[in-house]
Amino acid sequence: MDDTPPVCDYEGSDYRTRFWEGQGRSYEDQVERVALRRLMPPAGQTLIEIGAGFGRLADEYRGYRQVVLFDYSRSLLREAQAQLPQLAAPDTQFIFVAGNWYKMPFVAGLFDTMVQVRTLHHAADVPALMQQLARIARPGGRYVLEFANKQNLKAILRYSLRRQDWSPFAPEPVEFTALNFDFHPHWIRQQLQQAGFHPGRVLSVSHFRLGVLKKAVPNGWLVWADSLLQATGGWWQLTPSIFTASAHPEAGESARPGSFFACPECGTPLSHILPGPQNTRLTCSACELQWGVTDGLYDFKEPLK
Ligand SMILES: C[S@@+](CC[C@H](N)C(=O)[O-])C[C@H]1O[C@@H](n2cnc3c(N)ncnc32)[C@H](O)[C@@H]1O
């Protein structure tokens, strides 16, 4: 029996146009970029964004040599690929990989920098996910994680007025609708430590995520004020969004040069040198499963028949 946790499936979703484009979220987008730039090393060899969706943040990664945009949704990754001409940077190779974050198709110790923004709320099994991330993290690197904070001011107010039955102060995650979780900052810190990461800086982000404010105050002012307040995350965390930067576990080895993908089912390294052909199949020498590459999209969601 397959005991992989359930996945929130965005295949075929209109996430980009329904949630972002023209939807009045320029404030959220900009303050998240400010936080990301503060926490992420600006340049390096290998970076992965876990749950990259349609590549909203991909232009932030142009200081890296190899950038993996990883997501469960092939259709969103195709949208990310369509942006490639605008993303193009002479020294950056973008690699589009479909797969499940509970079965990461990469060799151990591969990534200098790992970024995860607006996705942890879909993780039913955070320890299992972080275990995978600890495995593919290169010692000496950094993991920038954004998560939805259950201990935010609005939740505290609603709880005090008895409009909400779950406590924002209780450590365990709350699933407010199916496969959508809010997390307590202390609980996240614990999970990071248990997986071997060393949590460091914390930023509180999106202080002004309120429709009336966003209508009344120019966006630039709100972004400026949020940027000033983000550092208060080191003392208290009351905003809906929290960014953390953790040092990678020191244990483990860095990936050998030239090794990149591994079979998501059995973990055996796959012999494939990047950049490879646009259309091919990768065969696992141990379990013999085959994985497809179609028009530049590496697909590790399901093996080929
Ligand atoms: C709300 S979107 C955020 C996308 C992007 N990070 C952004 O901020 O624009 C959440 C993303 O997580 C991805 N996701 C959810 N569960 C996943 C899993 N098990 N493995 C890989 N990606 C997953 C979804 O496909 C979706 O693209």
Side-chain angles (χ1 to χ4, degrees):
M1 206 183 81
D2 187 5
D3 55 1
T4 313
V7 174
C8 186
D9 197 350
Y10 278 62
E11 200 59 72
S13 119
D14 56 357
Y15 175 64
R16 176 172 54 88
T17 48
R18 182 177 40 79
F19 197 82
W20 289 106
E21 281 181 13
Q23 300 302 321
R25 290 200 171 84
S26 155
Y27 163 72
E28 286 84 349
D29 178 61
Q30 288 183 38
V31 294
E32 287 170 18
R33 286 171 186 271
V34 170
L36 188 56
R37 287 178 201 149
R38 284 179 169 158
L39 298 182
M40 177 184 78
Q45 281 291 312
T46 43
L47 176 146
I48 181 169
E49 186 185 342
I50 303 121
F54 64 92
R56 177 173 65 96
L57 299 169
D59 56 335
E60 299 290 337
Y61 309 139
R62 285 187 277 210
Y64 284 79
R65 213 173 67 72
Q66 287 182 314
V67 174
V68 171
L69 300 183
F70 180 82
D71 202 276
Y72 194 71
S73 163
R74 298 177 184 113
S75 58
L76 287 181
L77 286 172
R78 289 293 184 203
E79 292 181 24
Q81 260 186 324
Q83 291 191 54
L84 203 54
Q86 296 98 278
L87 287 178
D91 298 324
T92 305
Q93 178 191 19
F94 283 93
I95 303 154
F96 301 88
V97 182
N100 187 344
W101 61 41
Y102 298 113
K103 293 182 176 186
M104 291 299 243
F106 306 101
V107 295
L110 183 60
F111 294 104
D112 295 322
T113 300
M114 304 193 298
V115 175
Q116 198 170 5
V117 177
R118 285 185 179 263
T119 59
L120 198 74
H121 61 283
H122 293 318
D125 191 342
V126 171
L129 162 60
M130 287 192 181
Q131 223 175 11
Q132 286 285 312
L133 298 187
R135 181 181 68 75
I136 61 172
R138 192 194 298 271
R142 198 176 301 172
Y143 172 31
V144 178
L145 168 68
E146 184 273 349
F147 62 90
N149 176 21
K150 72 184 286 199
Q151 184 194 245
N152 65 73
L153 270 184
K154 186 172 158 200
I156 295 173
L157 198 68
R158 284 173 59 84
Y159 183 64
S160 322
L161 298 172
R162 295 176 198 279
R163 296 245 176 100
Q164 167 187 301
D165 52 7
W166 52 267
S167 165
F169 308 111
E172 70 281 352
V174 56
E175 187 172 19
F176 54 93
T177 53
L179 282 178
N180 279 268
F181 300 85
D182 281 350
F183 302 96
H184 194 288
H186 292 172
W187 188 85
I188 291 291
R189 193 179 162 81
Q190 246 176 19
Q191 303 310 309
L192 285 163
Q193 286 170 330
Q194 275 168 20
F197 291 98
H198 301 281
R201 246 177 117 190
V202 179
L203 301 178
S204 49
V205 176
S206 259
H207 291 78
F208 307 112
R209 190 186 287 176
L210 215 72
V212 280
L213 262 185
K214 291 201 292 180
K215 278 205 183 94
V217 183
N219 190 48
W221 294 11
L222 289 184
V223 173
W224 174 77
D226 194 85
S227 310
L228 283 183
L229 290 169
Q230 287 185 0
T232 61
W235 300 301
W236 51 79
Q237 300 93 33
L238 300 171
T239 48
S241 167
I242 303 292
F243 275 69
T244 62
S246 302
H248 286 175
E250 311 89 358
E253 287 173 24
S254 301
R256 274 189 293 119
S259 61
F260 204 90
F261 292 113
C263 175
E265 288 301 331
C266 74
T268 304
L270 299 169
S271 56
H272 181 75
I273 303 295
L274 284 164
Q278 284 272 306
N279 293 295
T280 186
R281 48 179 65 201
L282 315 185
T283 304
C284 175
S285 61
C287 70
E288 295 182 353
L289 288 175
Q290 299 198 334
W291 309 95
V293 186
T294 310
D295 298 330
L297 179 65
Y298 288 80
D299 193 341
F300 293 100
K301 276 177 80 167
E302 285 150 23
L304 296 169
K305 299 271 187 278

